[in-house]
Amino acid sequence: MEGSPERHSKKKVVAVVGGGLVGALNACFFAKRGFDVEVFETREDIRQAKIVKGRSINLALSHRGRQALKHVGMEEKIVSQGIPMHARMIHSLSGKQSPIPYGKKGQYILSVDRANLNKELLTEAETYPNTKLNFDHKLQDWSAETGLMTFVRPDGSTEEVEADLIVGCDGAFSAIRKQFLRRSCFNYSQTYIPHGYMELTMPPINGEFAMKANYLHIWPRNTFMMIALPNMDKTFTCTLFMPFEEFEKITTGDEVIEFFQKYFPDTIQLIGADALRRDYFRLPAQAMVSVKCSPYHIGGKCVLMGDAAHAVVPFYGQGMNAGFEDCIVFDEIMDQFNEDFNAVLPEYTRVRVPDDHAIADLAMYNYIEMRAHVNSKWFLFRKHVDNFLHFLMPRAIIPLYTMVTFTRTRYHEAVERWHWQNKVINRGLLFSAAGAVLGGSYVLIKNPPDINKLIVPAEKMWNRLVALRTP
């Protein structure tokens, strides 16, 4: 349902705290409905900043995120600024490259630049006359009862704003969420994984990509891995994921080269030995945190979305997509309850919490898959089996990755269906193998082979081998 200013006799004010990806997109959703929207961001306007602070890790845009962008008319523009990745490209130690397609022909995920996407969404939010962007505004305090917020500016002065709805989109270390922690019956957990990440850049070669562009490149090494995503400027952003203790063992430029020579030898020439020596020590390895909480709301006044509600580790490529889907799910519930915040917010918590917890768990699982399982013959065999069965029975059997990445199947339902499918397929493979053994045994019993016929060819083969070895 599209909104317009005429729908509200007194337009309600929505304050979006956080001007990152989810906050900027949320501003578009609420402005489109006709609310007066104010966005408050602690940082300066990244569109005017010389250096953009914060995470630069590439993003993988897929169906859920695209659907949310489509709702505010941004899908085509963002897609045109991304690079399609049709498959994982697995790099072995020997340098052999093996693609593992993501889905059916024509299905792909998009490598998009985080900073550029954020800038585009802020610019789009600003096109709505009922939206105001406030930068350099740090949240000091707020009230869940009155909706009154106090912000501090860089010069130390404060500003008070009152809103009908406060939307916390201020990231994994949310200032909005701190108020939730003071209230009873609020469940919260955060988990830092023992692995960190470090970004390196692979420059173009003769003005072109150094590797095949339309792939997410992975160097799986069991306990750690490196990935590379393509950028519009023909570079690759390489991200090394590894236990912190392993990062700390490397203390000199020569040790960096030795490490890459041992585990990623094909990348040294592509990244450049001098660049590796220099860039490895430019910043320490960064931490990754997973956050779960519930409920996502307080009364009808405040709601959490994006990383403020559910920060996830980046290994399923769903962090941004889940945050963007928060926006569209909330919008759908707004239609369902006629924009009554007192009804919308509890329903949003009820619907969204199980899904966000499910994707948080899947993201943890997928790290193990990416760094280790992709080397397994059984894993590759099961991929082929799953894809073949999906081709034969597209509605009955759907691979987990397809459900998560190329549909809007609810995350927790996708996990439940995945477990059920695994049981069915594994039992089917077990029965098939047992049937083949029994069938083969029956044929051998009924038609035993003539031993003499087997011995004679074997003797002839042996005599030929002896003759070949005789000088």
Side-chain angles (χ1 to χ4, degrees), residues 216-394:
L216 191 157
H217 293 262
I218 307 178
W219 291 260
R221 299 297 181 258
N222 294 317
T223 57
F224 56 90
M225 70 172 181
M226 188 165 74
I227 67 171
L229 275 73
N231 299 308
M232 294 292 282
D233 62 0
K234 304 295 178 72
T235 63
F236 278 93
T237 299
C238 304
T239 310
L240 175 60
F241 297 96
M242 193 163 66
F244 282 106
E245 60 194 38
E246 296 298 325
F247 277 114
E248 290 161 7
K249 286 178 184 176
I250 301 170
T251 57
T252 68
D254 288 343
E255 287 175 350
V256 173
I257 300 303
E258 286 173 22
F259 173 78
F260 272 77
Q261 191 66 57
K262 185 175 181 179
Y263 294 109
F264 312 110
D266 57 331
T267 68
I268 296 175
Q269 190 176 355
L270 299 178
I271 297 173
D274 290 340
L276 273 173
R277 285 190 179 94
R278 179 186 68 244
D279 294 347
Y280 187 91
F281 301 103
R282 188 179 53 191
L283 287 172
Q286 303 295 300
M288 289 172 284
V289 67
S290 180
V291 170
K292 291 181 180 178
C293 67
S294 70
Y296 288 166
H297 73 285
I298 295 176
K301 278 287 186 185
C302 184
V303 65
L304 300 173
M305 293 196 203
D307 283 358
H310 50 81
V312 301
V313 291
F315 305 114
Y316 221 113
Q318 285 295 302
M320 171 190 64
N321 292 287
F324 281 8
E325 192 177 45
D326 287 347
C327 301
I328 201 167
V329 168
F330 193 86
D331 194 71
E332 289 164 352
I333 296 171
M334 289 275 276
D335 283 343
Q336 189 181 344
F337 291 94
N338 198 30
E339 300 181 356
D340 177 2
F341 293 149
N342 289 313
V344 170
L345 271 59
E347 178 67 6
Y348 173 75
T349 284
R350 187 192 71 79
V351 168
R352 202 63 183 146
V353 166
D355 291 331
D356 291 332
H357 287 190
I359 193 57
D361 293 338
L362 276 179
M364 290 285 200
Y365 161 81
N366 211 47
Y367 184 33
I368 302 166
E369 177 174 301
M370 290 174 76
R371 74 179 195 231
H373 291 175
V374 291
N375 289 324
S376 156
K377 287 188 170 77
W378 170 253
F379 172 82
L380 296 174
F381 170 70
R382 273 302 310 270
K383 277 280 184 189
H384 289 305
V385 169
D386 290 355
N387 289 334
F388 178 66
L389 291 174
H390 180 50
F391 174 76
L392 292 179
M393 302 173 285

